[in-house]
Amino acid sequence: MTALSNNAGSAITAGAPVDVIVSEVGPRDGLQSIAQTVDLDTKKRWIAAEADAGVREIEVGSFVNYKLLPQMSDTAELVKFAAGIDGLTVAVLVPNLRGAEAAIEAGAHKISIPVSASETHSLKNVRRTHAQMIDEVAQIRQRINTIDEAKRPYFEAGIATAFGCTIEGPVPVDKVVELAVQLIEAGAEEVGLSDTTGYANPRMIRDRIRAVHGAVGKDKLNGVHLHNTRGLGLANAAAALNEGMTTLDASLAGLGGCPFAPGASGNIVTEDLVFMLESMGLSTGIDLSKLVQVRSVLSDSIPDEPLYGFIPDAGTPLGWDGSRVNAP
Ligand code: ZN
């Protein structure tokens, strides 16, 4: 429950406690993987509508080189807008200290830096070695420590390609564990495991979470970031829940894709994930029917983009009232 207890200064306590935080990453992960551009007003409507449906945490964008990713050029404005929404944790992704500076300036509650377990992937993605990335994390920690303690953003390092890499292939579990230890030592409050490439399976999820927990402590790994590239997204989410994960990333309509797998869907679908969790008796604070309605923001603004999800198509089962009727 890290995001709930450590997000000093955030209004997250305004809502009732939840069992699992569903972190919506569509405005960042989804949009950065599609060609069509979404304007600022549409993004604001999307974020506001999801917050209104009860979503507690949204990754609104990333502070990257806008020449490479023009889709993310309005992140600062989005952070300021989203920070005004009561009870919402505003998360952003940053690749380096410079991005972290911009995130702090804009008032983000949570800052995540992706560090790839595959060094080849890291070099290709951000042109940095592991040593350079760890140094970047240490510098961001130093910068955050200059801020008044009550106003500090929460700082997480997401271990990308933690389950395999499209360039290197298999990524040894020892590499992931070693990196997790180094990132915590460098000053990240927490690490997350990201299945960037959609290579994970439930057994790997279990084994890697356990290995990292064993090395850095259970309180230092509470969340996973999953893709549904090969259809195992929700199975992996269930395996992650079994290992005590309390934050699961997802994207509305599974927006996005995978640059390495044409036609593949993006992150796990927020709507389907919420359905699974609530059906299992785990509260998310999210109103599923309201959440499904938010899809119209996407279908209106990016009509050519495929929208994924089983629940929006099939509906909920007869007798399912959205309040955990099937709970054991
Ligand atoms: Zn992703």
Side-chain angles (χ1 to χ4, degrees), residues 25 28-30 32-33 59 93 194-197 225-227 249 257 266-267:
V25 299
R28 199 276 305 167
D29 206 345
Q32 79 172 27
S33 345
E59 193 168 74
L93 191 135
S194 298
D195 184 20
T196 318
T197 53
H225 173 97
L226 302 170
H227 280 246
D249 290 359
N267 299 99

Side-chain angles (χ1 to χ4, degrees), residues 59-80:
E59 193 168 74
V60 301
S62 58
F63 287 101
V64 289
N65 183 344
Y66 302 139
K67 283 181 192 133
L68 299 176
L69 265 177
Q71 185 79 269
M72 294 292 129
S73 62
D74 51 14
T75 299
E77 281 163 283
L78 276 175
V79 169
K80 283 172 196 153

Side-chain angles (χ1 to χ4, degrees), residues 118 121 161 164-171 196-199 230 258-261:
S118 150
H121 185 267
T161 64
C165 170
T166 45
I167 309 164
E168 283 189 8
V171 170
T196 318
T197 53
Y199 278 20
R230 291 175 179 78
C258 175
F260 314 105

Side-chain angles (χ1 to χ4, degrees), residues 6-10 104 107-111 140-155 189:
N6 288 329
N7 209 322
S10 116
I104 290 164
H109 301 140
K110 184 174 173 181
I111 295 176
I140 295 172
R141 166 49 55 201
Q142 278 178 15
R143 172 65 183 89
I144 289 174
N145 285 352
T146 64
I147 304 168
D148 183 30
E149 209 168 336
K151 291 179 183 158
R152 283 178 196 168
Y154 193 74
F155 180 37
E189 273 152 291

